[in-house]
Amino acid sequence: MDLENLCQALPKLELHAHLNGSLSMDTLKKLYKMQNPNSKSSEDTLMSIKNFSSLGECFKVFNIAHSLTTTPEAVFHSTYDTVKEFKEDNVIYLELRSTPRAIEGKMTKQEYVEAIIKAFEICKTDFPSILLKLLISINRKQGYKAAQDNIELAINFFKKYPQYIVGLDLSGDPMTGSTFLELLRKARLAGLKIAAHCAEIYQMLSHLSHVPNETETIDILKFKPDRLGHCTCIHPTLQGSSKLFNLLLDSKIPVELCLTSNIQCKTVSTYESHQFKYLFEAGHPICLGTDDKGVFHTSLSHEYKIASSTFGLKQEQLLKLCLSSVEYTFATLEEKQALLYEIEKFSKECNITY
Ligand code: IMP
Ligand code: ZN
């Protein structure tokens, strides 16, 4: 089997996907038509999604998706289509994450989350090969009150739907806002898992020096989230970052790596210099994710293919990457065993020994 087919056929686990960033052009067009039944110009309006050149610009792109997911019906269709596309890419476990939004007169945060769960329920019947979980996101930019509301919402939904709601995600524009660690502690006490975006950007100290956002990064590492996202600026070759790199290795916290996302947002300059290389070589727990497959025009298969061709990973190493991701999921023990079984079955069918 060639690399492309192997990466496509591998039973994969997606642990870092934001709902509104994952919407494909087909889904966006469908949502646009739902919102503007008489308009013929969806292409032009949506084309701007392709044109961005920095992390800041990428955040503007989310506004387009958000402008189309303003009703429970739109959130339902977004979720259903996204699950279907991941399933078609042979993803067997999807941990979707999303920031609940209230839209005056149209949708409450509660209804937003309910629409995702309703879609999950239907997907469970329509696509039984994919196991679904949801992390409720906290957008750092939206401030303390919104974070508090989302955590309360997550705790309540966790009590009602523990099979779907498994944790919290700390995300949003890293150039603004706080990390709300004391609020996350409360969520953890309630039994929720925590995935935190970490060290995505440099802090500008003066016009001469950029250093990793060290204090915040150390605070997050000390808090010990269950998983970390990106850790782009914790890089052994970057000025002022080797202390953080050692702290990260000592922490043994699994890191979700999204290669194309970091390249397209220009937070990493080349695939070859991506932190994947250093974490992989150090044997640190890592998994691959798409982040925003719609925004970055990628798929999980494609991310596996890039990792393999850039870092020379052999078939058995790709398989091991899938297998080890199982341990980092927020699934139950029984669910983890079922996922391991699927991957091992595939390895036997393809004669890949590891
Ligand atoms: P949503 O939470 O389903 O609305 O998905 C889009 C949101 O995910 C964005 O508005 C951001 O808050 C968050 N997001 C997506 N990609 C990134 C990233 O690379 N870093 C931080 N936050 C992100
Ligand atoms: Zn992300």
Side-chain angles (χ1 to χ4, degrees):
M1 206 184 293
D2 70 14
L3 178 63
E4 181 139 2
N5 284 323
L6 174 71
C7 291
Q8 163 68 29
L10 263 177
K12 295 171 288 293
L13 293 90
E14 170 64 86
L15 305 188
H16 191 127
H18 300 265
L19 173 59
N20 279 281
S22 297
L23 307 185
S24 63
M25 195 52 96
D26 281 352
T27 302
L28 290 170
K29 279 186 199 165
K30 185 203 249 181
L31 297 174
Y32 188 87
K33 281 266 173 288
M34 274 168 59
Q35 204 179 61
N36 310 277
N38 300 319
S39 167
K40 291 192 171 55
S41 61
S42 69
E43 289 283 338
D44 296 345
T45 317
L46 298 171
M47 269 325 266
S48 58
I49 274 186
K50 287 190 176 155
N51 304 320
F52 61 92
S53 59
S54 68
L55 187 60
E57 295 242 311
C58 148
F59 276 92
K60 288 188 199 148
V61 174
F62 294 125
N63 296 339
I64 298 174
H66 286 155
S67 72
L68 297 172
T69 51
T70 54
T71 62
E73 190 193 4
V75 174
F76 171 85
H77 284 289
S78 304
T79 310
Y80 185 91
D81 286 8
T82 301
V83 171
K84 182 168 182 278
E85 287 158 2
F86 274 111
K87 179 239 148 205
E88 285 164 355
D89 194 32
N90 280 320
V91 169
I92 56 168
Y93 177 85
L94 170 63
E95 245 172 56
L96 213 50
R97 51 185 79 189
S98 195
T99 325
R101 268 178 304 126
I103 310 289
E104 178 112 43
K106 288 186 173 179
M107 177 168 69
T108 62
K109 284 189 177 189
Q110 170 97 13
E111 286 168 337
Y112 183 98
V113 179
E114 277 166 0
I116 297 178
I117 291 175
K118 189 174 156 201
F120 276 12
E121 288 283 347
I122 293 177
C123 289
K124 201 171 144 187
T125 311
D126 290 0
F127 317 120
S129 65
I130 182 166
L131 182 61
L132 300 168
K133 304 284 174 189
L134 180 68
L135 306 185
I136 303 286
S137 298
I138 293 169
N139 185 337
R140 295 177 278 216
K141 198 176 176 178
Q142 289 173 354
Y144 193 86
K145 173 74 174 65
Q148 214 170 16
D149 289 349
N150 292 5
I151 288 177
E152 205 169 302
L153 197 72
I155 293 174
N156 288 336
F157 270 100
F158 173 60
K159 285 182 192 149
K160 206 165 162 200
Y161 299 99
Q163 71 276 35
Y164 293 130
I165 310 288
V166 286
L168 283 170
D169 155 58
L170 180 69
S171 57
D173 192 337
M175 282 159 283
T176 56
S178 335
T179 44
F180 313 112
L181 292 180
E182 75 286 7
L183 285 179
L184 292 179
R185 211 159 267 130
K186 185 179 165 201
R188 172 183 272 168
L189 279 174
L192 289 160
K193 303 280 187 191
I194 313 287
H197 283 62
C198 180
E200 294 164 88
I201 47 153
Y202 281 85
Q203 191 181 34
M204 204 186 293
L205 275 189
S206 70
H207 65 291
L208 286 176
S209 65
H210 293 62
V211 294
N213 197 347
E214 192 174 288
T215 318
E216 187 195 74
T217 303
I218 291 174
D219 285 347
I220 292 180
L221 289 175
K222 275 193 190 148
F223 175 79
K224 275 198 161 285
D226 299 278
R227 291 198 313 258
L228 296 167
H230 301 301
C231 296
T232 320
C233 301
I234 310 183
H235 198 290
T237 68
L238 291 173
Q239 185 201 355
S241 192
S242 61
K243 173 181 156 197
L244 288 180
F245 189 71
N246 289 330
L247 276 179
L248 173 62
L249 294 190
D250 289 346
S251 78
K252 303 208 168 26
I253 302 171
V255 184
E256 307 146 356
L257 297 171
C258 310
L259 302 164
T260 301
S261 161
N262 296 156
I263 295 295
Q264 290 206 18
C265 291
K266 301 203 169 25
T267 51
V268 175
S269 53
T270 61
Y271 281 113
E272 290 74 17
S273 62
H274 195 275
Q275 63 275 22
F276 179 100
K277 174 179 160 62
Y278 303 94
L279 292 170
F280 183 75
E281 281 171 5
H284 191 81
I286 50 172
C287 57
L288 288 176
T290 50
D291 210 5
D292 302 287
K293 74 173 179 60
V295 177
F296 304 124
H297 309 285
T298 190
S299 65
L300 194 54
S301 299
H302 191 58
E303 297 301 302
Y304 269 80
K305 191 175 152 222
I306 292 172
S308 175
S309 53
T310 309
F311 305 107
L313 304 190
K314 300 193 183 77
Q315 289 192 343
E316 56 272 25
Q317 288 174 307
L318 285 177
L319 204 92
K320 268 192 184 167
L321 207 53
C322 279
L323 273 173
S324 56
S325 308
V326 173
E327 199 186 321
Y328 319 139
T329 65
F330 298 157
T332 65
L333 215 59
E334 294 75 35
E335 289 168 339
K336 286 181 182 179
Q337 276 161 0
L339 293 167
L340 286 175
Y341 175 79
E342 280 301 312
I343 303 170
E344 279 158 6
K345 191 170 87 178
F346 174 84
S347 81
K348 281 187 195 125
E349 282 163 7
C350 298
N351 250 330
I352 305 173
T353 43
Y354 52 90

